[in-house]
Amino acid sequence: MIDDRGQKGTAIVISLFVLALITVFVALALTRSSSEAAAVGNETAEGRTFYAAQGSLETMTRNFNKVFEVKLNPTTAELDAVRTTPVQGLSSDYTFLQELDSTSTRTNVVLSGGPFSGLYAIRDNWRLRTTATNNTGVQVQLTRNVLNNRVPIFQFGIFYDDDLELFRPPRFSFGGRVHSNRNFFVSPGSEGVYFNSRVTAVGHIITQTWRNWDTTDSGNQETYIKNASGVDKQLLPAQGSVLNTSSGASDNIFASQPSMPPSKLNTSFETQSAIFDGNLKNLVAPLKLPIKIDSEQNDLIEMIKRGKKIADTAGGDLFSNAGTLAPVTASTQDSDILKEERFANKPGIRISLADSKAKLPGCASGVGTTAISGPCGVRLDGFKDGTGPVPLPTPSATPDRARGYQPLGMKLTAAATTFDYIPTRANGERLFTGGSREVWIKVETVDSNAGTGAITTKDITVDFLSLGITEVASTDLALAAYSGTRADNGTVTSPSANITATAVQTASTYPDSRSVIKLQRFEIFGPAIPNTGNYLYSYGSGSTAINVVRRYSGADATKIANGCATGCTARNADPNTGLEQYAHLKLATLNGTANEAVIPFPIELFDSREGEYYDDDARYTAGQVTQNGVMSLVDIDVANLRRFLRGDYDGLFRPTTNFPSGLRSTDIPQRQGWVVYLSDRRGDADFDGQYDMEDVYGAAPGNDGILQINEDTNGNGILDAKYYSGPTAETCVGTATTCEAPKYSESLTPDAAAVDDHKHYRRGVRLINGTTIPGIYDTTTPANTKGFTFASENGIYVEGNYNATGVNSVPTTGNSAYSEYLPFNTAMHIPASVVGDAVTVLSNAWNDAESFATPYSANSRQAANTTVRFAMIAGDALANKHVSPGQGGTGPWQNLNGGVHNFKRFLETWSGDRLDFSGSLINLFVAQNNNGTFKCCETVYNPPVRNWVFDSTFLDPDRLPPGTPYFQYVQTTGFQRTND
């Protein structure tokens, strides 16, 4: 028999052991499940934190891109906003450390890919980093690098924001990248059109018709574009991206744009254009500057307009609020991007003229349209101290009753202790145009704070004008100072003193020899201007002939005392209103006769393109000039400006309140050079910076009051035509305060037009003596190069050689290379740009007298070879379908804007003479001041031999003019997880 008690005990032990093991396994299983749950929870929290960090980084990236879309150089505050902007929907559960840093200094790169492929850019590297932390301490850090590229607009040989036209020129081989933000109309002449770089258009390449629908050259086959290997490949007329069709055809892609020539798609264009290896493209993305806000045709013209600063008791600006003058307020002031892009706000010098003190920049009080009470600019046609009051004609008012500002004197040399360089006084009698209008000028320095973006200015008017405001008289005139006194009753107290000339001054001490801003002159060189109105005295012949205003002949004290009642030229019958002969006359030797009395007068020229509504001299009155073409000029002497900026006059200025030690060249701010900006709004009745005479077409004699298809220069849908009605008794159509233009039918004698100012908004600025300009070209360290830019909202006339002495050689065919322009790669090879409403080139042979003597005969204005070197930003006229009345040029030229080959305007017969031009051609808007239609080739001009070339030095971002506009191109890279 077996004893089973031991077996039962063993079973119990085993059962307990198994139970224990199961307990351990359960415990282990429970422990593992808890750890895995914790791990899973941690992974989930980390994943959520990662996505929170990504949300933060994307928010920073979006805000960074938004800033750089509109700002080339954001302020510290704007960058701080990128760092501190909260992440929407996550800020309650996470904290974020957002960092934004510049990780490298600027570098110059060649872009690859994208719309700017192949162009040079200035690149900055930025690092965006965010560290996200959740409530339990889980932390994730992400980093992204962003490439901010600034592409200078002068990288383009030709850039048009609107339709680009090139029709039937002689051989045209300019070079450089070509782009149109609309369509490119190309129709070559028999000598061919050659493109050496990429040609792109946002719209279409149109080869069978001109912009005005003319098909004269539909069969011309001389267009060539280089392929990737540099070989010229032919673009035939039937190979454009669109081909001709009929207006009513179902395939007319421009059916909704009735002004565009009817066109159908060329379905073979992609195949045909392949031979150019990508160097001919249509339907590309538009290239927009930061200021380009929307599709309005003239957003970009704002870059040349005056700024809008809030008007308060400390001084601000006025502006045109729908035609009504009003102070700038918080809601109407410039946006940050507009403020930055205006040339008026670029570091350098700003010059402004207006009809009242309140209309000068920074001079409005903010209370209505009144001016601030303190000094702000000077009045040129008031009392001689420039404060504003007009000398009254009553005998007890003042002993000096003539109008006109007397600039301060300067030292002749640094060692001098007296201020014996005394510029000629402004002849306010001729600057004054009647009524309540006044003539005010303000000259100021302009600077910008890189950290805040704030624009700061300093009034230097009285200091700068002490250089002079008058064109220096020639030695042939033998001009001498007029001395003497006059009692307040109008009698001469010392007749002999009044008619005795002081010593004729030498060239080194002559008053006005330092003038930069020139508002008046004593003589007009050139052929005799017809003296129909008894305003002028002319002598000599040919190019050495001189036209002057002779106030009286001989030393006649009675004529001085009595206002020259007899024996004198116009403007002198009334001793109370004709006082210029006392305050403003100088004694001169005229045609060998000494002690002839002459006076200074405003600077005018006749612009036949602006003055004519049709290119046909039979339509105009012989012996008269149309008032619409008489342009009142401010001449800028570039050579004297260069002397001032390089310090030649340092230590010679009189101490003033603003400059206790006298103005110095180092007081003028600059960024890689100087920008000088000028705005002359005298006569701009509604103060909008636009010449309100859009009515440039119509049946004879012009101005039909009907809005034609291409008259609306500002794109507001109405005809802005605020003109006086005349011609004998001018009355304003509308109200007396809104008119600013004459009709084409209004004319006057050439002599009166040449020596008297006018009330119209026909203002321009001319650059003279500009062969050598301010700046320096550093051949060793390009970044130290300093350039010069001149900008204006008015039309600009460039007279004679500019920034070049000539070209080294001119080939028989083709163009001189940019390196042939002299001087090249020396200290005087200056990066330059000219920016204005329109740019007209006047040759080395130009003189103003010819423009008045033969206003409707281009052949009488013979040009001479001229060399200019600058990048150019300007506007052109509107081009459109040729409709009746199709005024402007004759034959097939009607209703065209002249094309890129006439983008620089001309007023002379250049036949056989060269215009040598090296630069860049940028068309950004429709001209609003010099808005005369394109006319060729009867009475206005005949074109030059175009020896033109793209200036390839602009491909170096360190060789650019100051104030150059940039395209912004931000390249965003991927992100990566990082650890500090």
Side-chain angles (χ1 to χ4, degrees), residues 304-306 344 350-356 359-361 380 431 433 437-442 517-520 602-604 630-636 677-685 687-691 740 757-766 790-797 837 928-930:
I304 65 169
K305 293 289 187 73
R306 289 191 182 186
R350 181 165 67 196
I351 306 163
S352 307
L353 293 98
D355 290 334
S356 71
K359 290 181 178 179
L360 293 174
L380 294 170
L431 293 174
T433 57
R437 290 180 179 171
E438 302 171 356
V439 182
W440 286 80
I441 186 171
K442 185 178 184 182
I517 302 170
K518 301 187 177 186
L519 302 169
Q520 57 185 16
I603 300 173
E604 316 282 335
V630 179
M631 309 297 292
S632 179
L633 298 184
V634 177
D635 279 355
I636 299 296
Y677 174 83
L678 188 145
S679 164
D680 187 352
R681 288 195 178 180
R682 288 177 290 168
D684 184 10
F687 203 63
D688 61 356
Q690 174 191 337
Y691 179 53
E740 54 191 54
D757 207 350
H758 51 73
K759 61 186 177 183
H760 309 124
Y761 186 35
R762 296 267 69 187
R763 307 290 167 179
V765 57
R766 176 166 55 182
F790 186 86
S792 176
E793 68 174 351
N794 306 106
I796 298 176
Y797 299 81
D837 182 77
Q928 292 187 0
N929 279 312
N930 281 39

Side-chain angles (χ1 to χ4, degrees), residues 613-636:
Y613 71 97
Y614 203 88
D615 195 22
D616 180 2
D617 62 349
R619 298 172 184 263
Y620 308 102
T621 304
Q624 299 275 305
V625 294
T626 58
Q627 294 190 42
N628 199 50
V630 179
M631 309 297 292
S632 179
L633 298 184
V634 177
D635 279 355
I636 299 296

Side-chain angles (χ1 to χ4, degrees), residues 3-251:
D3 189 354
D4 59 355
R5 290 180 296 182
Q7 294 176 351
K8 288 181 180 178
T10 301
I12 292 172
V13 170
I14 292 172
S15 298
L16 291 172
F17 182 71
V18 170
L19 181 62
L21 286 175
I22 290 171
T23 302
V24 170
F25 286 141
V26 170
L28 288 172
L30 291 173
T31 301
R32 182 175 179 182
S33 296
S34 178
S35 297
E36 286 180 351
V40 170
N42 287 339
E43 186 174 323
T44 300
E46 186 174 357
R48 289 175 176 172
T49 306
F50 178 91
Y51 289 119
Q54 186 179 2
S56 168
L57 189 64
E58 296 302 332
T59 298
M60 290 181 66
T61 302
R62 183 180 68 250
N63 292 334
F64 178 87
N65 287 341
K66 287 171 66 176
V67 168
F68 278 92
E69 280 177 2
V70 296
K71 295 296 289 290
L72 293 171
N73 300 294
T75 65
T76 302
E78 289 165 331
L79 294 176
D80 285 341
V82 176
R83 299 181 180 100
T84 59
T85 299
V87 184
Q88 294 297 322
L90 296 175
S91 297
S92 60
D93 299 320
Y94 299 89
T95 59
F96 299 95
L97 174 61
Q98 300 183 140
E99 303 170 79
L100 173 59
D101 302 292
S102 176
T103 58
S104 69
T105 57
R106 55 166 268 179
T107 55
N108 299 336
V109 299
V110 179
L111 297 176
S112 59
F116 300 105
S117 178
L119 294 178
Y120 289 80
I122 299 171
R123 172 176 289 175
D124 300 313
N125 268 303
W126 293 83
R127 183 186 65 193
L128 278 65
R129 173 184 289 171
T130 183
T131 305
T133 307
N134 78 350
N135 294 334
T136 64
V138 176
Q139 194 172 79
V140 173
Q141 183 182 86
L142 299 177
T143 299
R144 165 176 283 158
N145 291 319
V146 178
L147 307 177
N148 177 42
N149 304 293
R150 288 167 287 164
V151 182
I153 198 169
F154 298 140
Q155 291 270 302
F156 289 86
I158 300 170
F159 182 95
Y160 267 52
D161 195 58
D162 60 2
D163 289 325
L164 170 57
E165 300 174 47
L166 187 60
F167 50 84
R168 203 201 293 172
R171 181 185 173 97
F172 191 87
S173 175
F174 184 60
R177 184 91 164 251
V178 177
H179 177 83
S180 168
N181 266 346
R182 292 189 65 186
N183 304 291
F184 184 10
F185 291 81
V186 57
S187 180
S190 58
E191 297 178 44
V193 168
Y194 296 81
F195 298 102
N196 300 326
S197 188
R198 182 172 296 182
V199 177
T200 54
V202 174
H204 286 283
I205 310 298
I206 302 173
T207 54
Q208 291 186 327
T209 186
W210 294 2
R211 183 63 181 84
N212 65 357
W213 296 37
D214 188 274
T215 58
T216 301
D217 293 326
S218 60
N220 281 9
Q221 303 182 14
E222 302 301 319
T223 300
Y224 299 89
I225 301 171
K226 280 186 167 47
N227 65 9
S229 301
V231 177
D232 286 326
K233 294 292 184 178
Q234 192 172 22
L235 175 66
L236 298 172
Q239 294 176 341
S241 65
V242 295
L243 305 175
N244 289 349
T245 189
S246 59
S247 297
S250 60
D251 58 1

Side-chain angles (χ1 to χ4, degrees), residues 527-789:
I529 299 172
N531 193 29
T532 311
N534 193 30
Y535 278 77
L536 282 171
Y537 174 77
S538 303
Y539 65 96
S541 60
S543 61
T544 61
I546 298 178
N547 297 270
V548 299
V549 176
R550 183 174 64 172
R551 300 304 285 118
Y552 66 87
S553 177
D556 190 335
T558 302
K559 290 178 181 178
I560 301 174
N562 296 331
C564 195
T566 59
C568 310
T569 55
R571 267 186 173 260
N572 43 37
D574 186 342
N576 287 327
T577 60
L579 296 176
E580 65 178 347
Q581 72 285 346
Y582 171 71
H584 303 297
L585 67 81
K586 302 288 184 182
L587 297 183
T589 299
L590 303 182
N591 204 21
T593 302
N595 289 332
E596 299 273 68
V598 298
I599 51 91
F601 49 88
I603 300 173
E604 316 282 335
L605 68 73
F606 183 75
D607 184 326
S608 52
R609 170 168 172 158
E610 296 301 311
E612 300 180 31
Y613 71 97
Y614 203 88
D615 195 22
D616 180 2
D617 62 349
R619 298 172 184 263
Y620 308 102
T621 304
Q624 299 275 305
V625 294
T626 58
Q627 294 190 42
N628 199 50
V630 179
M631 309 297 292
S632 179
L633 298 184
V634 177
D635 279 355
I636 299 296
D637 192 315
V638 179
N640 280 346
L641 177 63
R642 176 173 175 264
R643 295 183 184 104
F644 166 73
L645 291 174
R646 76 182 180 187
D648 288 15
Y649 306 136
D650 287 357
L652 305 183
F653 286 88
R654 183 189 296 265
T656 59
T657 301
N658 282 341
F659 301 96
S661 299
L663 179 67
R664 304 182 71 86
S665 58
T666 51
D667 293 316
I668 310 302
Q670 54 92 16
R671 299 286 188 278
Q672 288 77 53
W674 301 266
V675 174
V676 174
Y677 174 83
L678 188 145
S679 164
D680 187 352
R681 288 195 178 180
R682 288 177 290 168
D684 184 10
D686 57 1
F687 203 63
D688 61 356
Q690 174 191 337
Y691 179 53
D692 289 328
M693 176 53 106
E694 291 182 334
D695 192 9
V696 294
Y697 292 101
N703 309 127
D704 61 3
I706 301 171
L707 179 61
Q708 309 292 342
I709 195 169
N710 51 348
E711 289 182 324
D712 188 12
T713 60
N714 61 9
N716 65 357
I718 62 175
L719 182 68
D720 295 313
K722 301 170 182 175
Y723 45 69
Y724 297 90
S725 178
T728 54
E730 287 194 340
T731 57
C732 185
V733 177
T735 64
T737 59
T738 61
C739 287
E740 54 191 54
K743 287 188 171 183
Y744 286 117
S745 58
E746 293 188 68
S747 60
L748 71 168
T749 60
D751 54 334
V755 300
D756 275 348
D757 207 350
H758 51 73
K759 61 186 177 183
H760 309 124
Y761 186 35
R762 296 267 69 187
R763 307 290 167 179
V765 57
R766 176 166 55 182
L767 303 179
I768 62 173
N769 300 328
T771 300
T772 305
I773 68 174
I776 183 171
Y777 189 95
D778 193 320
T779 57
T780 303
T781 309
N784 292 336
T785 293
K786 290 179 173 33
F788 176 64
T789 291

Side-chain angles (χ1 to χ4, degrees), residues 807 809 811 815-821 918 947 949-950:
V807 288
S809 64
N815 300 329
S816 300
Y818 73 98
S819 56
E820 294 291 298
Y821 283 71
S918 177
N947 183 33
V949 65
F950 171 61

